[in-house]
Amino acid sequence: MTPLVGKDIVSAFDFERADLLRLFKLADGLRGEIEARGTLDYGRGKVMITAFFEPSTRTKISFQFAMVRLGGVVVDFIEEVSSLKKGETEEDTMRILDGYGPDVIVIRHSRPFFPHSVKDFVKAPILSGGDGTNEHPTQALLDVYTMWREFGRVDGLTVGVMGDLKYGRTIPSLSYMLTRFNDVTVYYIAPKQLQVREEILKKVEGRIEYHMIENVEDVIEKLDVLYVTRLQKERFEDPQEYERLKGTYVISRGLLERHGKIPVIMHPLPRVWEITTDVDDLPQAKYFEQARNGMYVRAALLKEVLGI
Amino acid sequence: MTPLVGKDIVSAFDFERADLLRLFKLADGLRGEIEARGTLDYGRGKVMITAFFEPSTRTKISFQFAMVRLGGVVVDFIEEVSSLKKGETEEDTMRILDGYGPDVIVIRHSRPFFPHSVKDFVKAPILSGGDGTNEHPTQALLDVYTMWREFGRVDGLTVGVMGDLKYGRTIPSLSYMLTRFNDVTVYYIAPKQLQVREEILKKVEGRIEYHMIENVEDVIEKLDVLYVTRLQKERFEDPQEYERLKGTYVISRGLLERHGKIPVIMHPLPRVWEITTDVDDLPQAKYFEQARNGMYVRAALLKEVLGI
Amino acid sequence: MTPLVGKDIVSAFDFERADLLRLFKLADGLRGEIEARGTLDYGRGKVMITAFFEPSTRTKISFQFAMVRLGGVVVDFIEEVSSLKKGETEEDTMRILDGYGPDVIVIRHSRPFFPHSVKDFVKAPILSGGDGTNEHPTQALLDVYTMWREFGRVDGLTVGVMGDLKYGRTIPSLSYMLTRFNDVTVYYIAPKQLQVREEILKKVEGRIEYHMIENVEDVIEKLDVLYVTRLQKERFEDPQEYERLKGTYVISRGLLERHGKIPVIMHPLPRVWEITTDVDDLPQAKYFEQARNGMYVRAALLKEVLGI
């Protein structure tokens, strides 16, 4: 039995360094098995509920595919056609779903700390698929898994994370997970008003080296990885400010090729305009591979949590 | 072969007393098997279509979970993305779904008697998941199963049903099902304008003893079970009338503890404000257990109807 | 290995005559197996993604049922709750879905040639479930399969296709597929402004005999098959023109019985008012059978494309 059997995963801090390295190797192993044999048998008879209280595609379908390839079954709770419209609290909904006896529940919610608030009365293990602007621990899992696959290690990497660092929920989880490794340097690249929140910095203080800057071109040659996220228009009070900054936060082939070294380019996807499509063909563009990695590492996580 | 093989279930009257007692025991048996072994094999190769023409969560996911735990497969017909928008009649939709050869179809529809109107030309057995204000026979099944589990019998019970008894579809089915047992007394507790409909009383006349009252506190000590349902705001012509009555129809821990005896508290869920959350921890609060029971008794029903 | 293993199907022209005859026989064989044994084992471990970027019921659920009856699993990508709202291109979405490693993807899109535009970078075989007004190749497959079952052949048939021939996507695919047979005659029956498009006629020129007419009663006795489609109100600039023509394009029992011979009546469904329900009981009314045939012939197609 691995340490993760039956465990709730609501934060990137729920993974120890040893858990991560074990999951990454397991994900590689499952990849090989799935490529060779298709659907596996580990999950036979296991049932996962996906309970996404806000829209998602990437995360939900990635978890569903992972469960299906393990040989398990998915029951999808769809919010749109639900009793929530009748005013039921989501805590009640969780109690009821849990009562059916699922083997695991994947939750997404727009409210920060929703998974934390229900995990103690829900018997099934809960895997957070994102809680508002707070965290998205399995996104970090696939992000760091991708780095590990690219470099064979995470220790010692220099990572630039760029875009809306204030509201993006991938940023806190990625930052927290990187603290599990040694000698990691992070450059937070964002307009001042969208820089990473103080509460996040407090949690990584002294555990990673970090710098806050505004222009990616100032550091690009130092980076092993450039992790790009979107600037969402609706985050700006002044639309002109958005239009002014938008250009600065576009990673194009032209920008990349101006410099002596092109880092591995990652993105949690969906990508809109912040990476131009001419970047897609570069060998360093790993964002589609990264999404694919998500399926395998989530399969690894499910396998461990389900104890199968 | 049980008497229910291949049978359509569109009314609580479709169950005889012997069917109910057999289903309750089978549900208990399946509960034990599922708790011990997880997913079972009875339903292997069987396919259920859920065709819900109006939103639902509780009923649909409960049926889906039941089918999945029996080892069967679910194909979900989702109305939102359907040809109904193009003007197709729902009778045609049912003909087409049936043509694919499902082993069973679960239908919900806002139109009373919709399941009755299609069952004769649909070859697959049809299980009603609720038809407007008319009936909800499998809700009654889980309600009465819950009573049977709590008391070891249904005969002789005194049941208070409270809330909107005029429009709620759980009330007719529950009333009808209770006629299959001996010496049952029902207190219908509702504001006069939301009391149980005459047509329903006609069908239970002489088969259960019933009384219509307005205040739950007048009878609470006589009750074995208090079955609470919502008062929906939209049922009141005068909003002030709703606000005035709302308070009277709230079951709180304070109200319950004012009396010498606390009955088993049930609710079809979703619960909004009509049972306060401080009631949840009382040993008599059985509404989440009741929802859970629904999954097992629906599994029992599916097993019998599918003849597996 | 059949010629269709791993092949993308985006046009009716992707099927050769030999493919069609082989699929029709295979569909008949699968029908017998499914009727005798229920769910089969061919698809065990295979995973199909349905990626419908516009609403559909008939096609999607028919493919899902086919996959499930083959013993495979379906993961449904639902557009409504997707990242598309965040501005992601659908090409990116396809890349990501494909990255999860599905065995086959069924796509529907409102944009003509969308499946063609992604098939080269998507590794999984793509089956088009309809692309705007362009084509709907598996609809043609079930249409022609239905004719083959009714007459034991397709060669030599005389087929009337009626309704909105300009915008309906079933018409091009059906026309193209009929070119794979010998001595087929097609009567295109439509108001002048909704007649079949020139580009379609060019592709069938010299390969089927065709005539364009306005009134079905002029040719009904010559027809082996009358294939009815809807006239959609929104296609008419002048609502009065729609009201005037509507009546002429209604196939009623009265109309049919005025003539010496009643052809086999087909319809891609959903049917609204263009075939009156009193036609349903005629032995020549085959539209529900046609929908049912769709499930079997899609199962045959999946079996061949998956190489199982």
Side-chain angles (χ1 to χ4, degrees), chain A residues 45 81-82 88 92 99 101, chain B residues 39 56-58 69 271 292 295:
Chain A
V81 291
S82 95
E88 183 179 59
D92 274 12
Chain B
T39 300
S56 150
T57 294
R58 198 78 54 255
R69 279 300 189 203
R271 164 260 307 259
R292 181 177 171 84
M295 198 270 280

Side-chain angles (χ1 to χ4, degrees), chain B residues 3-137:
Chain B
L4 297 181
V5 176
K7 200 172 165 184
D8 299 314
I9 302 294
V10 299
S11 166
F13 283 128
D14 288 330
F15 299 108
E16 297 297 331
R17 177 187 173 95
D19 295 328
L20 295 170
L21 294 173
R22 202 178 58 245
L23 286 171
F24 297 162
K25 280 170 203 156
L26 178 56
D28 272 8
L30 290 173
R31 178 189 305 255
E33 287 187 75
I34 289 168
E35 283 173 1
R37 301 196 284 123
T39 300
L40 308 177
D41 268 329
Y42 300 113
R44 179 137 313 187
K46 298 297 179 186
V47 183
M48 176 177 88
I49 290 182
T50 40
F52 279 58
F53 295 93
E54 72 165 9
S56 150
T57 294
R58 198 78 54 255
T59 303
K60 183 160 108 174
I61 207 167
S62 167
F63 262 114
Q64 290 178 332
F65 221 90
M67 187 63 177
V68 158
R69 279 300 189 203
L70 284 176
V73 174
V74 178
V75 175
D76 188 26
F77 167 84
I78 300 176
E79 193 204 9
E80 267 97 330
V81 292
S82 91
S83 297
L84 295 176
K85 286 178 181 157
K86 297 177 188 165
E88 182 179 60
T89 68
E90 286 142 346
E91 283 74 12
D92 274 13
T93 305
M94 290 307 303
R95 269 192 189 87
I96 293 163
L97 294 177
D98 187 48
Y100 297 145
D103 297 292
V104 62
I105 305 177
V106 183
I107 307 182
R108 167 169 292 188
H109 203 290
S110 58
R111 199 195 318 157
F113 301 100
F114 178 76
H116 310 62
S117 73
V118 299
K119 75 186 175 57
D120 290 337
F121 65 74
V122 167
K123 288 192 198 99
I126 280 185
L127 306 183
S128 168
D131 58 325
T133 56
N134 181 43
E135 278 213 52
H136 194 350

Side-chain angles (χ1 to χ4, degrees), chain A residues 234-251:
Chain A
E234 59 269 31
R235 299 300 189 197
F236 289 81
E237 282 174 30
D238 178 0
Q240 290 190 316
E241 175 76 358
Y242 171 79
E243 291 305 327
R244 190 181 63 79
L245 280 165
K246 199 177 137 168
T248 327
Y249 285 83
V250 176
I251 300 299

Side-chain angles (χ1 to χ4, degrees), chain B residues 21 46 75 79 95 161 195 205 226 261-262 296:
Chain B
L21 294 173
K46 298 297 179 186
V75 175
E79 193 204 9
R95 269 192 189 87
V161 296
Q195 260 296 0
E205 198 71 54
L226 175 58
K261 178 190 157 192
I262 298 180
Y296 292 115

Side-chain angles (χ1 to χ4, degrees), chain A residues 20-225:
Chain A
L20 296 170
L21 294 173
R22 202 180 55 248
L23 285 171
F24 296 164
K25 280 169 203 155
L26 179 55
D28 272 7
L30 289 174
R31 179 190 305 256
E33 287 187 74
I34 289 168
E35 284 174 1
R37 302 197 283 123
T39 301
L40 307 177
D41 268 329
Y42 301 113
R44 178 139 312 188
K46 299 295 181 187
V47 183
M48 175 176 90
I49 290 183
T50 40
F52 279 59
F53 295 93
E54 72 165 10
S56 149
T57 293
R58 198 81 52 257
T59 304
K60 183 160 108 174
I61 207 166
S62 168
F63 263 114
Q64 290 177 333
F65 220 90
M67 187 63 177
V68 158
R69 279 300 190 202
L70 285 175
V73 174
V74 178
V75 175
D76 188 28
F77 167 84
I78 300 177
E79 193 206 8
E80 266 98 330
V81 291
S82 95
S83 297
L84 294 176
K85 286 178 182 160
K86 298 178 188 165
E88 183 179 59
T89 67
E90 286 142 346
E91 283 74 11
D92 274 12
T93 305
M94 290 307 302
R95 269 190 189 88
I96 293 163
L97 294 178
D98 187 47
Y100 297 145
D103 297 293
V104 62
I105 304 179
V106 183
I107 306 182
R108 165 168 294 188
H109 203 291
S110 59
R111 199 195 317 158
F113 301 100
F114 178 76
H116 311 62
S117 73
V118 299
K119 75 186 174 56
D120 290 336
F121 65 75
V122 167
K123 289 192 197 98
I126 281 186
L127 306 181
S128 169
D131 58 324
T133 55
N134 181 43
E135 279 213 51
H136 193 350
T138 66
Q139 177 67 43
L141 197 62
L142 71 93
D143 294 340
V144 180
Y145 173 48
T146 300
M147 296 176 196
W148 179 83
R149 276 176 63 83
E150 292 304 315
F151 296 94
R153 62 183 166 87
V154 184
D155 295 336
L157 292 184
T158 298
V159 179
V161 296
M162 176 176 142
D164 172 3
L165 307 184
K166 186 166 185 183
Y167 298 104
R169 63 182 150 205
T170 62
I171 302 308
S173 286
L174 176 56
S175 301
Y176 304 159
M177 195 170 280
L178 288 173
T179 68
R180 297 309 197 203
F181 298 89
N182 302 319
D183 305 316
V184 171
T185 303
V186 175
Y187 287 91
Y188 292 112
I189 308 158
K192 281 209 178 66
Q193 68 273 38
L194 291 177
Q195 259 296 1
V196 67
R197 284 171 280 151
E198 192 59 33
E199 65 193 85
I200 295 161
L201 293 177
K202 270 189 199 159
K203 292 190 190 170
V204 301
E205 198 70 54
R207 306 167 80 176
I208 56 173
E209 182 185 325
Y210 68 84
H211 309 275
M212 289 186 279
I213 65 167
E214 284 194 74
N215 191 332
V216 64
E217 298 200 66
D218 293 346
V219 296
I220 196 160
E221 298 194 8
K222 295 182 191 167
L223 301 178
D224 295 305
V225 173

Side-chain angles (χ1 to χ4, degrees), chain C residues 58-122:
Chain C
R58 197 81 52 256
T59 303
K60 183 160 107 173
I61 208 167
S62 167
F63 263 115
Q64 290 178 331
F65 220 91
M67 188 62 176
V68 158
R69 280 300 190 202
L70 284 175
V73 174
V74 177
V75 175
D76 187 27
F77 167 84
I78 299 177
E79 192 204 10
E80 265 97 331
V81 292
S82 93
S83 298
L84 294 176
K85 288 179 180 158
K86 299 178 188 163
E88 182 178 61
T89 67
E90 286 142 347
E91 282 74 12
D92 274 12
T93 304
M94 290 307 302
R95 269 190 189 87
I96 292 162
L97 294 178
D98 188 46
Y100 298 145
D103 297 292
V104 61
I105 304 177
V106 182
I107 307 181
R108 166 169 293 188
H109 203 291
S110 59
R111 199 195 317 157
F113 301 101
F114 177 76
H116 311 62
S117 73
V118 299
K119 74 186 176 58
D120 289 338
F121 66 75
V122 167

Side-chain angles (χ1 to χ4, degrees), chain B residues 19-280:
Chain B
D19 295 328
L20 295 170
L21 294 173
R22 202 178 58 245
L23 286 171
F24 297 162
K25 280 170 203 156
L26 178 56
D28 272 8
L30 290 173
R31 178 189 305 255
E33 287 187 75
I34 289 168
E35 283 173 1
R37 301 196 284 123
T39 300
L40 308 177
D41 268 329
Y42 300 113
R44 179 137 313 187
K46 298 297 179 186
V47 183
M48 176 177 88
I49 290 182
T50 40
F52 279 58
F53 295 93
E54 72 165 9
S56 150
T57 294
R58 198 78 54 255
T59 303
K60 183 160 108 174
I61 207 167
S62 167
F63 262 114
Q64 290 178 332
F65 221 90
M67 187 63 177
V68 158
R69 279 300 189 203
L70 284 176
V73 174
V74 178
V75 175
D76 188 26
F77 167 84
I78 300 176
E79 193 204 9
E80 267 97 330
V81 292
S82 91
S83 297
L84 295 176
K85 286 178 181 157
K86 297 177 188 165
E88 182 179 60
T89 68
E90 286 142 346
E91 283 74 12
D92 274 13
T93 305
M94 290 307 303
R95 269 192 189 87
I96 293 163
L97 294 177
D98 187 48
Y100 297 145
D103 297 292
V104 62
I105 305 177
V106 183
I107 307 182
R108 167 169 292 188
H109 203 290
S110 58
R111 199 195 318 157
F113 301 100
F114 178 76
H116 310 62
S117 73
V118 299
K119 75 186 175 57
D120 290 337
F121 65 74
V122 167
K123 288 192 198 99
I126 280 185
L127 306 183
S128 168
D131 58 325
T133 56
N134 181 43
E135 278 213 52
H136 194 350
T138 67
Q139 176 67 42
L141 197 62
L142 70 94
D143 295 339
V144 180
Y145 174 48
T146 300
M147 296 177 196
W148 178 85
R149 276 175 62 82
E150 292 305 314
F151 296 94
R153 62 181 166 88
V154 184
D155 294 335
L157 292 182
T158 298
V159 178
V161 296
M162 176 175 142
D164 173 3
L165 307 184
K166 187 166 183 182
Y167 299 103
R169 64 184 151 203
T170 63
I171 301 310
S173 287
L174 176 56
S175 301
Y176 303 159
M177 196 171 281
L178 289 173
T179 67
R180 297 309 197 202
F181 297 91
N182 302 320
D183 305 317
V184 171
T185 303
V186 175
Y187 287 91
Y188 292 113
I189 307 158
K192 281 210 178 66
Q193 68 273 37
L194 291 176
Q195 260 296 0
V196 67
R197 282 170 280 149
E198 192 58 34
E199 64 193 83
I200 295 161
L201 294 176
K202 268 189 202 159
K203 292 189 191 171
V204 300
E205 198 71 54
R207 307 166 80 175
I208 57 173
E209 183 186 324
Y210 68 83
H211 309 276
M212 289 186 280
I213 66 168
E214 282 195 76
N215 191 333
V216 65
E217 298 200 65
D218 294 345
V219 296
I220 195 161
E221 298 193 9
K222 294 183 191 167
L223 301 179
D224 295 304
V225 172
L226 175 58
Y227 188 102
V228 184
T229 68
R230 259 172 313 147
L231 287 184
Q232 287 174 282
K233 199 172 186 172
E234 59 268 32
R235 299 300 188 196
F236 289 82
E237 282 174 30
D238 177 359
Q240 290 190 314
E241 176 75 358
Y242 171 77
E243 291 305 327
R244 189 181 65 77
L245 280 166
K246 199 177 138 168
T248 326
Y249 285 83
V250 176
I251 300 300
S252 65
R253 190 147 179 164
L255 180 147
L256 290 171
E257 291 181 344
R258 273 205 295 276
H259 298 277
K261 178 190 157 192
I262 298 180
V264 165
I265 309 292
M266 293 176 61
H267 191 297
L269 303 178
R271 164 260 307 259
V272 187
W273 45 258
E274 62 279 9
I275 299 179
T276 58
T277 54
D278 59 5
V279 174
D280 296 3

